[in-house]
């Protein structure tokens, strides 16, 4: 009984009610990929290990970061960053994500207008979803540069959980389900 009390105090279990508080509520189902980001949403994310708690905000177009127009402004260099939680910036405040910081660094190096769009999780969570997203949505943003951020810790293994219910004549996915 004493051991039980000590363990509950020192190493508490991550119960459903605790996990639900820390869950990201910024996702919605997608017709193309397993999920996408919910436009105009926000989440206070608490890590399961309680090592961090951050606020994540999604703009009106379904991307993390500041608002931008679908049509690229004239004279703007537009960079699109695809990826999963690392690109999204789970564990980081909005102004500390990789795309946000890259935009700031590039703006300090040139007089040109720079716009870096954070498509982390908006493009899914694995290379096949990045492909479908880019083909169906990403290229419509008219990016000059596309970065695909791959985290070897899970991006490749996430492929095993995905199905391609529809493929094109080259056997590439039209839609990805998980």
């Amino acid at each position: 009984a004493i051991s039980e009390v000590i363990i509950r105090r020192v190493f508490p279990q991550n119960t459903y009610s605790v996990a639900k508080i820390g869950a990201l509520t910024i996702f919605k189902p997608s017709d193309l990929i397993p999920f996408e980001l919910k436009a105009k949403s926000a989440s206070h994310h608490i890590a399961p290990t309680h090592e961090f708690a951050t606020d994540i905000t999604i703009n009106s177009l379904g991307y993390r970061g500041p608002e931008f127009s679908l049509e690229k402004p004239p004279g703007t260099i537009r960079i699109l960053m695809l990826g999963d939680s690392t690109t999204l910036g789970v564990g980081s405040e909005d102004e500390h994500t990789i795309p946000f910081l890259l935009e700031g660094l590039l703006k300090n190096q040139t007089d040109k207008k720079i716009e870096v769009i954070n498509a982390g999780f908006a493009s899914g969570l694995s290379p096949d979803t990045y492909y479908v997203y880019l083909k169906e949505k990403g290229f419509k943003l008219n990016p000059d540069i596309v970065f695909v951020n791959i985290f070897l810790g899970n991006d490749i293994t996430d492929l095993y959980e995905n199905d391609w219910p529809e493929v094109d004549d080259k056997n590439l996915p039209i839609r990805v389900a998980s």
Side-chain angles (χ1 to χ4, degrees):
I2 294 171
S3 296
E4 179 70 22
V5 171
I6 292 171
I7 289 172
R8 283 186 185 201
R9 298 274 186 225
V10 179
F11 301 106
Q13 294 293 310
N14 192 14
T15 62
Y16 175 73
S17 59
V18 172
K20 188 176 176 186
I21 292 168
L24 295 175
T25 57
I26 55 175
F27 299 108
K28 69 176 187 171
S30 169
D31 294 335
L32 296 172
I33 57 180
F35 61 83
E36 58 188 53
L37 296 175
K38 195 180 340 176
K40 296 182 182 179
S41 64
S43 175
H44 181 69
H45 179 61
I46 302 169
T49 57
H50 299 280
E51 64 195 89
F52 62 81
T54 57
D55 292 315
I56 295 175
T57 54
I58 307 303
N59 69 24
S60 64
L61 297 173
Y63 296 89
R64 186 170 188 187
E67 295 290 337
F68 63 90
S69 66
L70 288 174
E71 189 171 319
K72 183 172 68 169
T76 299
I77 297 172
R78 182 174 270 183
I79 299 169
L80 180 63
M81 295 190 83
L82 311 181
D84 64 359
S85 59
T86 303
T87 305
L88 179 76
V90 171
S92 301
E93 297 294 333
D94 291 344
E95 65 277 1
H96 293 133
T97 64
I98 294 169
F100 188 94
L101 294 171
L102 176 64
E103 183 176 299
L105 287 170
L106 293 175
K107 282 181 175 179
N108 288 335
Q109 301 297 318
T110 183
D111 294 335
K112 296 183 181 191
K113 291 176 114 184
I114 304 289
E115 189 175 67
V116 181
I117 298 172
N118 184 345
F121 275 154
S123 57
L125 71 154
S126 56
D128 54 349
T129 63
Y130 306 156
Y131 167 78
V132 171
Y133 162 83
L134 190 59
K135 190 174 79 165
E136 297 298 324
K137 292 184 176 184
F139 284 137
K140 291 177 183 171
L141 296 173
N142 198 21
D144 298 293
I145 300 168
V146 176
F147 283 121
V148 179
N149 299 315
I150 303 278
F151 176 62
L152 295 177
N154 67 358
D155 284 11
I156 304 304
T157 57
D158 285 342
L159 285 166
Y160 297 119
E161 297 179 14
N162 292 346
D163 294 318
W164 298 355
E166 296 177 58
V167 294
D168 63 16
D169 58 345
K170 296 176 184 160
N171 212 28
L172 292 171
I174 294 173
R175 190 166 64 85
V176 177
S178 181

